[in-house]
């Protein structure tokens, strides 16, 4: 059995760790909401709670729909209580345990190959739900936290800065984990190698997302009307997704919701949602992204020269340095480290499609 098809015992244990981290993230978010409320920052408390509810609600809707599409009614009612992701953790751990420890020597090689691939399909669904929740909850909440820290309305601690840094890494890792699971679940696509390629891809996402969130925070400091501008950006990204005519879901209503979610993701990072050559789209996206990153520190320096110089200097370095390093890693990854496909001219799409039950959310596209 080749390594490509193996859902390893290490990954099974990491899944347990991921489940506890997921639960811990929810608990800390609720704790932060209560802290804001106790400090009488009711707007911040309301926004934080809203992000939590939005992320949970959307992930439950998609998880429920996928169980329904897969003709699997196992514990579907628990989605009502926001436990959809935990149900999927339970199923993945249960079936993974059976494959890895109980029946590992009771099947032919082809049967084991199919079982391992099925585990990766389950892991891909789980990682996509977590990615949705990350960008609907963690990303906007992190933007709020950066904004609050830069304004200096609260006494900041080292723990808070470490927590924010961990959040940046978690957002980037959600994309890397989803991409690795997706590539392993598609039989005609080579897996994303561990080691240097994964590190470079993680740095690309981490640096570009960090610089963009910091830029958004500077625009928010300049004017509260930036929230209107961000809403317009979201609508434009959603419209672009509609123009591409994605076919991710089995119903029009869910497809519309999916496009709204992708619009949010595209506010923070590039996400390939359709089977097309993405070179032009990526160039336009990251050219715009570069202009925003250059404009935000310049406008703040010109329009608010009284702003804390030491703080703005650090933020400027993080924005411009992150932008440069992120784009450098992007070019390096796609030019030198991007895995070759097993079939010519195909690669995975970040957004999946709706064929064949658990494989329905997967399709191929021309390699960017």
């Amino acid at each position: 059995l080749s390594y490509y098809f193996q859902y390893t015992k290490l990954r099974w244990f990491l899944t347990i760790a991921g489940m506890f981290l997921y639960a811990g993230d929810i608990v800390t978010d609720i704790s932060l909401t209560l802290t804001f409320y106790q400090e009488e920052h009711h707007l911040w408390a309301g926004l934080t709670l809203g992000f939590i509810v939005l992320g949970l609600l959307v992930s439950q809707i998609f998880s429920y729909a996928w169980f329904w599409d897969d003709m699997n009614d196992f514990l579907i009612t628990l989605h009502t209580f926001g436990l959809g992701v935990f149900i999927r953790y339970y199923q993945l751990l249960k079936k993974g345990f059976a494959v890895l420890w109980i029946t590992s020597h009771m099947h032919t090689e082809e049967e084991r190959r199919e079982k391992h691939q099925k585990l990766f399909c389950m892991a891909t669904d789980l990682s996509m739900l977590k990615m949705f929740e990350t960008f609907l909850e963690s990303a906007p909440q992190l933007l709020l936290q950066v904004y609050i820290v830069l304004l200096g309305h609260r006494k900041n601690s080292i723990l808070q800065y470490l927590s924010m840094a961990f959040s940046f890494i978690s957002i980037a890792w959600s994309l890397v984990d989803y991409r690795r699971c997706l590539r392993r679940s598609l039989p005609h696509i080579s897996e994303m190698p561990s080691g240097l390629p994964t590190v470079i891809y993680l740095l690309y996402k981490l640096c570009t997302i960090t610089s963009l969130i910091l830029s958004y925070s500077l625009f928010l400091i300049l004017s509260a009307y930036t929230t209107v501008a961000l809403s317009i950006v979201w609508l434009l990204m959603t419209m672009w997704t509609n123009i591409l005519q994605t076919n991710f879901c089995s119903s029009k209503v869910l497809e519309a919701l999916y496009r709204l979610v992708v619009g949010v993701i595209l506010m923070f990072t590039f996400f390939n949602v359709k089977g097309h050559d993405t070179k032009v789209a990526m160039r336009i996206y990251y050219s715009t992204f570069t202009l925003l990153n250059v404009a935000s520190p310049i406008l703040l320096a010109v329009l608010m020269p009284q702003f804390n110089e030491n703080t703005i200097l650090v933020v400027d370095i993080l924005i411009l340095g992150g932008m440069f390093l992120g784009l450098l890693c992007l070019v390096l990854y796609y030019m030198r480290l991007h895995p070759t496909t097993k079939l010519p001219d195909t690669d995975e799409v970040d957004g999946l499609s709706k064929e064949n039950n658990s494989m329905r959310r997967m399709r191929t596209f021309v390699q960017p």
Side-chain angles (χ1 to χ4, degrees):
L1 186 65
S2 66
Y3 180 79
Y4 166 67
F5 289 101
Q6 288 182 341
Y7 189 92
T8 64
K9 293 180 180 180
L10 174 61
R11 186 167 188 93
W12 188 86
F13 283 112
L14 290 176
T15 300
I16 295 179
M19 180 176 65
F20 282 106
L21 288 174
Y22 173 76
D25 183 54
I26 294 176
V27 171
T28 55
D29 288 344
I30 294 175
S31 175
L32 182 62
T33 301
L34 294 175
T35 299
F36 283 152
Y37 183 79
Q38 291 170 353
E39 295 177 352
E40 298 187 352
H41 296 300
H42 297 145
L43 176 60
W44 298 348
L47 287 172
T48 303
L49 181 61
F51 296 145
I52 295 172
V53 172
L54 179 62
L56 281 173
L57 178 62
V58 171
S59 64
Q60 303 312 301
I61 291 173
F62 279 110
S63 181
Y64 180 94
W66 296 348
F67 272 126
W68 185 268
D69 286 348
D70 292 338
M71 302 302 291
N72 187 339
D73 59 357
F74 176 71
L75 297 180
I76 281 180
T77 55
L78 290 182
H79 284 74
T80 307
F81 302 99
L83 299 176
V85 172
F86 288 105
I87 292 173
R88 290 184 176 274
Y89 266 118
Y90 168 77
Q91 281 199 316
L92 179 57
L93 290 170
K94 179 183 177 181
K95 293 185 178 181
F97 183 83
V99 170
L100 295 171
W101 277 281
I102 300 177
T103 63
S104 58
H105 303 294
M106 298 173 59
H107 301 281
T108 65
E109 181 174 333
E110 184 60 31
E111 289 173 336
R112 292 199 302 272
R113 185 189 303 271
E114 291 178 0
K115 288 183 177 294
H116 280 261
Q117 187 176 353
K118 175 62 177 177
L119 289 176
F120 275 114
C121 289
M122 295 173 65
T124 301
D125 280 357
L126 177 59
S127 63
M128 191 170 202
L129 289 172
K130 290 169 62 181
M131 181 180 64
F132 284 173
E133 193 166 336
T134 292
F135 280 95
L136 291 172
E137 176 191 341
S138 300
Q141 184 172 287
L142 184 56
L143 174 58
L144 175 63
Q145 294 306 306
V146 173
Y147 170 75
I148 293 172
V149 167
L150 292 180
L151 283 182
H153 286 333
R154 299 176 73 236
K155 184 178 180 180
N156 304 314
S157 64
I158 295 178
L159 182 61
Q160 184 176 4
Y161 287 117
L162 290 175
S163 175
M164 289 169 57
F166 179 76
S167 296
F168 278 115
I169 296 173
S170 296
I171 292 171
W173 180 252
S174 70
L175 291 161
V176 176
D177 182 60
Y178 169 67
R179 188 178 181 86
R180 286 176 60 82
C181 288
L182 175 58
R183 294 192 72 95
R184 288 191 172 193
S185 65
L186 295 173
H188 57 280
I189 298 294
S190 297
E191 69 171 300
M192 183 178 183
S194 301
L196 184 61
T198 297
V199 171
I200 294 298
Y201 190 83
L202 175 63
L203 283 175
Y204 145 53
K205 288 298 186 181
L206 174 63
C207 292
T208 53
I209 291 172
T210 299
S211 59
L212 196 52
I213 288 178
L214 290 175
S215 290
Y216 286 158
S217 67
L218 294 189
F219 282 120
L220 284 170
I221 290 172
L222 282 169
S223 173
Y225 289 108
T226 298
T227 54
V228 177
L230 291 176
S231 299
I232 294 173
V233 171
W234 169 62
L235 288 174
L236 290 174
M237 295 301 182
T238 303
M239 289 172 58
W240 180 67
T241 307
N242 273 282
I243 291 172
L244 291 178
Q245 288 298 300
T246 60
N247 87 350
F248 172 81
C249 300
S250 55
S251 73
K252 291 183 178 180
V253 174
L254 280 176
E255 189 67 36
L257 178 60
Y258 168 70
R259 293 172 183 178
L260 293 173
V261 173
V262 171
V264 175
I265 295 175
L266 287 168
M267 291 176 63
F268 298 97
T269 189
F270 185 82
F271 190 75
N272 189 4
V273 294
K274 191 68 175 177
H276 296 298
D277 190 339
T278 58
K279 290 180 180 178
V280 174
M282 289 185 76
R283 286 169 182 165
I284 294 174
Y285 182 91
Y286 283 111
S287 295
T288 306
F289 148 86
T290 301
L291 289 175
L292 288 175
N293 283 340
V294 171
S296 59
I298 293 176
L299 288 175
L300 188 67
V302 172
L303 300 178
M304 296 185 66
Q306 73 278 12
F307 198 80
N308 189 304
E309 293 183 0
N310 294 329
T311 300
I312 197 60
L313 178 61
V314 173
V315 174
D316 289 352
I317 291 173
L318 289 174
I319 290 175
L320 299 178
M323 177 188 69
F324 176 78
L325 181 58
L327 294 179
L328 179 64
C329 289
L330 166 65
V331 173
L332 177 60
Y333 177 79
Y334 281 104
M335 288 187 65
R336 298 293 182 184
L337 302 173
H338 191 275
T340 57
T341 56
K342 293 183 177 180
L343 295 179
D345 299 325
T346 61
D347 196 356
E348 91 289 359
V349 64
D350 289 332
L352 307 176
S353 69
K354 58 185 180 184
E355 296 105 8
N356 303 326
N357 291 331
S358 64
M359 294 290 288
R360 72 198 174 285
R361 292 176 289 278
M362 303 178 185
R363 76 182 308 138
T364 60
F365 68 96
V366 179
Q367 181 173 325

